[in-house]
Amino acid sequence: MRIPLSWLREYVDLPATETGRDVQAKLISAGLEVETVEHLGADLKGPLVVGRVLTIEELEGFKKPIRFCTVDVGQANGTGEPQEIVCGARNFAVGDKVVVVLPGATLPGGFSISARKTYGKTSHGMICSSDELGMGDDGTHGIIVLPPETEVGKDAVELLELVDEVLDIAVTANRGDCLSIRGVARETAIAYGLPLRDPALLDVPGPNAFGYPVKVSDPAGCDRFTARTVTGLSPEARSPIWLKRRLQKVGMRPISLAVDVTNYVMMELGQPLHAYDRGLLQGTIGVRRAGEGEKIVTLDGVERKLHAEDLVITDDRGPIGLAGVMGGADTEIADHDAAENGGSSTTDVVIEAAHFDQVAIARTARRHKLSSEASRRFERGVDPQAAAAAAQRTVDLLVLLAGGTAEAGVTEVVAPSAPHTVTVAADHPDKVAGVTYGRETVVRRLQEVGCDVYGQDELIVTVPSWRPDLTDPNDLAEEVIRLEGYENLPSTLPRPPAGRGLTARQRLHRRIGRALAGAGYVEALNYPFVSEQVFDQLGLEADDPARRVVRLVNPLSDEEPALRTMLLPGLLGALRRNDGRGAHDLALFETGLVFQPRDEQRTAVNLSVDRRPSEDDIAALDAALPDQPRHVAVVLAGAREQAGWWGKGRAGDWADAVEAARTVAREAGAELGVRKGQYGPWHPGRCAELTVTVDGAERVIGHAGELHPRVLKNLGLPARACAMELDLDALEQVGDDTPQAPGISTFPVATQDVALVVDAFVPASDVEAALREGAGELLESIRLFDVYENAEQLGEGRKSLAYALRFRATDRTLTVDEASAAREAAVTLAGDRTGATLRA
């Protein structure tokens, strides 16, 4: 929210010496995020005056239209003679009043003005546009044409209010009241201890039976609707300079008088308004939920299909506006320019000032991807009591500036509601802050923000209508603390117990990160949000547990409303982005939490902030959260080993993904089983299933291998990309990270090779497991070193697996007979379990 200091001073009598920086410091101390203070006109130096165009000569022979003008600037040039100026703009004529900058002046950006020869003429100054003066967009994109009654020679710097300071405030989601000059003025008045001239304190006539008919069918969505009518607006009326300038300073573009007035009042009081062309309304104005399939064309010219939860404004034809978001084109206010183009300008208007449900407006704006100034305020909270005052303020300005007549009829539809009260102990802020404020300070601060306070030790606080965010005792405590100054809170360093250091889990995660980084992987940290469509792209079955997600009530993006159940979607997105930017040789890893919904849904407890939560409180909070195991994942694409003078290099493949899983398992001190598998995004012929043994039962904790070509196409990934993901918590559960010294034997090793022929579908891991078990305790290691397939020699559908077996005893040198016996036992068990036979 942009707050011009000149506008702020209308409601708070700030000392004349106070600058924007001073006000910024005060508001920051009070808890508002004032990001910047913009100094408008800081580098502007006159003379800058009002001139009247006397003559215009069209210069010929140039690539673009050029005009040579004489302009009367009064005595501002010291001679009273007409000023000769060359100008390329076309939106002014002889007799128009314009803004002229004379030689010797400096415009924003350090642009110095002097007499100079151009297009065969000497230009003594410049006729200015709003952009050249740093005023912002005025909708014309041309020369500023002033009202005819403007005095020639008048100082344009003062006339256009070019020198000012503007505070830019980042308003948090709970402080909708600060999206207005009124709200920020209230905070400023409190910060300086000065009285506030509330612009909403107006004499407002009571409702009667003569107002424009309104019917609210959904009082939960709209609990207040005020309608006022103004007739006889002059079609020639224009927004005055001061009104346009204030809108420009707060970041809005002037459009037409009626629209400018509603925008001005919205910025002033924080109450969004809408003006309807009364001649285009048909019948009663209604407020209801949209019918499924209804459509509306909004003011931005877009036809929108409505949802059954959308709150809409209607007349007898149907929807004429998205309530609290944007009006419809059917009842749009037409200005003088529209009349000049063959239409008719609006002379009679109906003013709407309503209060809508925050959640309904927020969901509608998000559903239609249509954020407006009105929706930003409604979804953060608008003062319902300000609607009537805002309507009155709008009526007064239209009567004043457009010569209209306010009709006596006043419509006000109000759903009964009681003021919100909160009961709080007088010393509650003391307990929260750890500071003794005392009852008098607490009561005074709450009254300053507009609360009515009664009681002694226990206070009954009625919160003001403009602060819907004050709902419980902790909110009231926060108000007291922020107004007393966060900087005044004492700092007390905690006393951590010595010698504990990192937990075993933390140490494991760090070791795994270092090990993967040492293996050439780069860590990528991704957001935990996913779209549910990504599971289709990954090829997961319809009943896959990974499809059960935790959906966010208020997601950052409608396209990713769920929490991840696996790391691969985010990691593959990072792979795609890097590959698209020219980094084709990639190896990325991530460790992070995934989120798995519980079968029983519980509501989280509201923890107190004035004491440490008990073990039961923490347990209840944990029970309401989804399960959050930690996973580790890697993705690879391109070269694993670069080519160079040392060799041809090597592309990353499925074996690298499996090796990454083994690297993680070694750091966890766990024994990882690797066997052929098939799951979701992985290629069915190049997918390894990763297993561990828990309490005697084998458990699948992840997969590794090459991704399926269909998945690569769906996600736009490079060819032959590989990936691995496994459950790190499950691996930690079976692991033992106690450092183990390597066993060094003084006795020699006995090596025996064996080649076994099995059916092609038999996994090598099953054969290896049988050989390992059959060989017994003498087997030191086993390694598959060759896979051979030849239908002529081995038979159709058969393959040969060659293993190197290393035997060693800890207390003696093995004889050939002992090593051979162990080898034969291993081959026998492999034959019994897998049908393996020795290759001839």
Side-chain angles (χ1 to χ4, degrees), residues 284-332:
T284 301
I285 294 177
V287 183
R288 61 169 172 83
R289 300 287 174 169
E292 193 67 46
E294 283 188 307
K295 295 181 180 180
I296 184 176
V297 178
T298 46
L299 288 174
D300 56 0
V302 178
E303 183 179 76
R304 302 180 187 277
K305 186 175 180 180
L306 301 178
H307 188 274
E309 292 184 5
D310 290 336
L311 197 64
V312 293
I313 310 297
T314 65
D315 65 4
D316 291 351
R317 295 166 295 182
I320 59 173
L322 277 174
V325 180
M326 185 174 286
D330 289 342
T331 57
E332 181 179 6

Side-chain angles (χ1 to χ4, degrees), residues 7 33-34 42 236 282 304 306 344 347 371 478 509 527 546 567 587 607 630 640 662 715 777 835:
W7 198 349
E33 298 179 25
V34 185
E236 304 298 326
Q282 297 182 14
R304 302 180 187 277
L306 301 178
S344 60
T347 58
S371 179
E478 182 182 6
H509 296 161
Y527 288 116
L567 299 181
L607 299 180
R630 183 173 290 270
R640 186 73 176 124
R662 289 194 171 109
L715 296 177
E777 296 181 355

Side-chain angles (χ1 to χ4, degrees), residues 415-439:
S417 62
H420 181 63
T421 60
V422 180
T423 301
V424 58
D427 62 349
H428 181 67
D430 301 2
K431 294 179 179 179
V432 173
V435 177
T436 302
Y437 293 122
R439 179 187 177 279

Side-chain angles (χ1 to χ4, degrees), residues 654-678:
W654 63 268
D656 293 299
V658 174
E659 183 57 29
R662 289 194 171 109
T663 299
V664 172
R666 282 194 295 271
E667 293 298 326
E671 185 175 345
L672 187 69
V674 179
R675 67 187 185 198
K676 181 180 179 181
Q678 183 173 343

